[in-house]
Amino acid sequence: MAETFKLSVRHGKTYLLRVINAALEQVLFFGIANHKLTVVGTDGSYIKPVKVDYITISPGQTMDVLLEANQPIDRYYMAAKAYSSSPNVLFSPLNTTAILQYKRSRQNMPTSTVPSMPLLPNSNDTIATTEQLSQLKSLADKNHPIDVPLEISTKLFYTVSVNTLPCKNGSACAGPINGNRLAASMNNISFQLPPGANILQAYYNNVSGVYGDKFPDMPPLNFDFTGNDLPQFLLTPSVGTEVKVLEYRSTVELVLQGTNVLTGTEHPIHLDGYSFYVVGWGFGNFDEQKDPLNYNLVDPPYQNTVTIPKNGWVAIRFTADNPGVWFMHCHLERHVTWGMAMTFIVKNGNNPDQQMLPPPTDMPKC
């Protein structure tokens, strides 16, 4: 078994830690015993420095964190702990650990033999995961300008749900509801990869029959998305390969609404090909009249992954200026394999540098 990783630091120095959550299934809390952390960047973009006791980081997300080596010369545990809001999802409650150790001389030997552990939130502490979301703000100064779309041409509202579907080919499977298998959806469509083809090549080569272009701007049914005891018929989504086509340089506002269809849980959503401004978030159902009044349009964080809180919502904005075929999906691996995904096609602009490049000749098939 490999030895525990140790990070050696010198007292009085400040270190930049680049942290990525390489887990496939869990949002993680991360902290270092007796040390504050200063978050200075998320997903490759600078933010106003935020000093915290721990960070909350989603699968695939990155954070730049400053560590001040200002504690007594000793050894301290660095630890990560899984967050999971659904009581029905099994996961390991154990911490994964490494050791922060101060370089020392004979005159300043450590006083303890067992490193102390950081204080991390409980594994089901949803409020703790959102505290950080409230604090993240772009630098938004003359040296780091931002460009939040203020006039919106395309408004979208997508629900994200955990669902069930009948077992394949009429076979029996040990699913949670009536023996059905688990599924997931966006706007009640469980995404299906086209067999024997891919959307990018079909779009570029104008091949019909691979996908549809009717992904809905709104969910097909308006209901109490985060309510309890929801009707059973909501469990079953449709299945298909539908895309949403965006005009070049259209300005998009997308509200991502979590639901309590089968179970309410967190959803870290990632958009390939783009970063976006996270202009708002909240618990419960999004209120299109009241909630936009509290948007941060001055210095919102610029990210490519954002976590929808359990039974909550987030609002993002971006300008569709990167032509191509772009996958948006949950970064929990089980959810994306169940169908919690969709695809944007962003059309070409008029100039040569505003057009999608052809697929490489060695592009692998799906």
Side-chain angles (χ1 to χ4, degrees), residues 7 9 13-21 28-32 35-57 61-69 78-79 100 132 136:
L7 174 63
V9 298
K13 290 187 174 292
T14 298
Y15 295 83
L16 173 63
L17 307 181
R18 299 190 184 276
V19 185
I20 181 169
N21 182 348
L28 297 175
F29 298 119
F30 171 80
I32 302 176
H35 291 76
K36 293 276 190 178
L37 300 172
T38 303
V39 186
V40 295
T42 62
D43 290 340
S45 296
Y46 288 116
I47 64 167
K48 293 180 173 68
V50 180
K51 187 163 285 191
V52 296
D53 294 317
Y54 62 88
I55 62 172
T56 305
I57 187 166
Q61 190 174 24
T62 63
M63 288 191 177
D64 298 326
V65 178
L66 296 181
L67 164 68
E68 297 179 66
M78 312 162 66
L100 177 78
Q132 180 176 276
L136 302 182

Side-chain angles (χ1 to χ4, degrees), residues 309-326:
K310 177 181 180 179
N311 286 337
W313 58 272
V314 295
I316 66 174
R317 289 186 176 189
F318 64 95
T319 300
D321 55 4
N322 188 12
V325 178
W326 305 112

Side-chain angles (χ1 to χ4, degrees), residues 136-140 146 148 277-280 296-302:
L136 302 182
K137 300 179 187 298
S138 293
L139 284 181
I146 63 173
V148 187
Y277 294 100
V278 183
V279 298
N296 176 9
L297 301 177
V298 176
D299 55 1
Y302 192 54

Side-chain angles (χ1 to χ4, degrees), residues 49-361:
V50 180
K51 187 163 285 191
V52 296
D53 294 317
Y54 62 88
I55 62 172
T56 305
I57 187 166
S58 301
Q61 190 174 24
T62 63
M63 288 191 177
D64 298 326
V65 178
L66 296 181
L67 164 68
E68 297 179 66
N70 57 8
Q71 294 301 300
I73 294 174
D74 210 330
R75 298 188 303 159
Y76 302 87
Y77 268 125
M78 312 162 66
K81 179 180 184 179
Y83 160 71
S84 180
S85 65
S86 177
N88 300 318
V89 175
L90 298 178
F91 69 98
S92 173
L94 301 177
N95 295 343
T96 183
T97 57
I99 293 175
L100 177 78
Q101 59 184 19
Y102 282 77
K103 294 179 180 179
R104 59 190 185 273
S105 65
R106 292 182 179 179
Q107 288 73 34
N108 50 32
M109 296 295 288
T111 58
S112 65
T113 57
V114 179
S116 55
M117 289 289 292
L119 297 176
L120 298 176
N122 293 330
S123 292
N124 62 351
D125 192 339
T126 296
I127 299 300
T129 68
T130 60
E131 288 177 353
Q132 180 176 276
L133 187 58
S134 300
Q135 299 177 73
L136 302 182
K137 300 179 187 298
S138 293
L139 284 181
D141 57 29
K142 65 178 181 179
N143 295 319
H144 305 89
I146 63 173
D147 187 19
V148 187
L150 300 179
E151 299 294 329
I152 301 300
S153 63
T154 305
K155 283 199 171 186
L156 307 173
F157 184 92
Y158 293 173
T159 55
V160 292
S161 304
V162 179
N163 307 90
T164 64
L165 282 170
C167 300
K168 293 182 178 179
N169 302 320
S171 61
C173 54
I177 304 293
N178 301 324
N180 288 346
R181 61 188 173 96
L182 288 166
S185 66
M186 286 190 173
N187 270 1
N188 205 46
I189 299 176
S190 188
F191 183 82
Q192 184 178 56
L193 288 170
N198 69 66
I199 297 173
L200 174 60
Q201 288 181 326
Y203 174 67
Y204 192 84
N205 296 315
N206 198 28
V207 177
S208 61
V210 174
Y211 63 88
D213 59 3
K214 298 296 189 291
F215 191 89
D217 293 351
M218 303 287 290
L221 180 65
N222 190 24
F223 60 95
D224 182 6
F225 302 115
T226 57
N228 296 316
D229 301 319
L230 295 174
Q232 289 287 296
F233 73 85
L234 294 173
L235 287 173
T236 306
S238 61
V239 178
T241 309
E242 296 291 334
V243 308
K244 171 62 181 177
V245 179
L246 296 174
E247 297 293 330
Y248 181 74
R249 287 205 61 81
S250 56
T251 51
V252 181
E253 177 179 304
L254 169 58
V255 175
L256 294 158
Q257 173 71 61
T259 79
N260 200 27
V261 169
L262 179 62
T263 182
T265 188
E266 67 282 355
H267 300 291
I269 302 297
H270 173 78
L271 175 57
D272 293 346
Y274 282 87
S275 290
F276 45 74
Y277 294 100
V278 183
V279 298
W281 70 274
F283 289 110
N285 298 329
F286 175 76
D287 187 321
E288 64 177 344
Q289 301 300 322
K290 296 179 180 178
D291 287 325
L293 300 177
N294 296 316
Y295 280 177
N296 176 9
L297 301 177
V298 176
D299 55 1
Y302 192 54
Q303 301 177 211
N304 60 45
T305 303
V306 65
T307 298
I308 307 170
K310 177 181 180 179
N311 286 337
W313 58 272
V314 295
I316 66 174
R317 289 186 176 189
F318 64 95
T319 300
D321 55 4
N322 188 12
V325 178
W326 305 112
F327 199 44
M328 186 172 75
H329 58 98
C330 185
H331 249 171
L332 299 184
E333 190 71 7
R334 63 185 182 276
H335 289 177
V336 69
T337 60
W338 295 345
M340 189 175 287
M342 58 82 61
T343 298
F344 287 110
I345 292 180
V346 179
K347 289 183 177 181
N348 287 335
N350 294 323
N351 300 326
D353 61 350
Q354 298 172 346
Q355 298 180 8
M356 184 175 66
L357 296 174
T361 56

